[in-house]
């Protein structure tokens, strides 16, 4: 608990000291160009690692519970494709979902 509180205090303190700057800009300001790039890479890598683990766990749950005959590669690809396309399309997300589900369940 104390470690989490300390981390939150550090993040809030950095946000107060560097308003309107991203994590990349803050790390470059504190650690220089190379150190900031290294910290930014570690943050990006950890985010991608955690996201890939979450996708894998969710895919395994769906295959175990519902779609037992579906290949894991196909289901993972469809999930990642959907999750990466919908935020880029913005308000048209429901239109894309209708087309996507229509194509997936076409007999």
């Amino acid at each position: 608990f104390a470690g989490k509180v300390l981390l939150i205090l550090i993040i809030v303190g950095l946000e107060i000291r560097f308003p309107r700057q991203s994590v990349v800009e803050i790390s470059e300001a504190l650690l220089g160009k190379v150190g900031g790039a290294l910290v930014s890479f570690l943050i990006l890598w950890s985010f991608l690692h955690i996201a890939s683990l979450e996708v894998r766990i969710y895919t395994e749950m769906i295959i175990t519970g519902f779609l037992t005959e579906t290949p894991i590669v196909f289901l993972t690809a469809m999930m990642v494709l959907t999750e990466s396309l919908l935020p880029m399309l913005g308000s048209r997300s429901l239109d894309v979902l209708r087309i996507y589900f229509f194509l997936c369940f076409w007999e």
Side-chain angles (χ1 to χ4, degrees):
F1 178 76
K4 292 177 185 179
V5 171
L6 181 64
L7 184 63
I8 290 172
L9 289 174
I10 290 172
I11 292 171
V12 169
L14 286 173
E15 183 61 32
I16 291 171
R17 185 171 174 200
F18 300 99
R20 299 203 182 264
Q21 288 187 353
S22 67
V23 176
V24 175
E25 294 169 340
I26 293 172
S27 63
E28 282 184 2
L30 291 175
L31 303 172
K33 194 92 168 155
V34 176
L38 182 63
V39 168
S40 300
F41 175 75
L42 289 175
I43 291 171
L44 177 65
W45 180 84
S46 65
F47 173 74
L48 290 174
H49 182 69
I50 291 170
S52 66
L53 286 175
E54 291 295 327
V55 168
R56 177 65 185 221
I57 290 169
Y58 188 61
T59 304
E60 290 285 345
M61 183 191 71
I62 290 174
I63 287 176
T64 302
F66 308 109
L67 304 172
T68 57
E69 299 296 320
T70 307
I72 194 167
V73 173
F74 176 76
L75 191 58
T76 303
M78 291 297 109
M79 286 174 53
V80 169
L81 181 68
T82 304
E83 292 166 359
S84 59
L85 283 180
L86 289 180
M88 291 189 298
L89 297 174
S91 64
R92 295 193 31 187
S93 298
L94 291 177
D95 297 335
V96 172
L97 269 178
R98 278 188 226 123
I99 294 169
Y100 175 72
F101 283 121
F102 178 73
L103 292 176
C104 284
F105 298 111
W106 182 269
E107 291 187 26

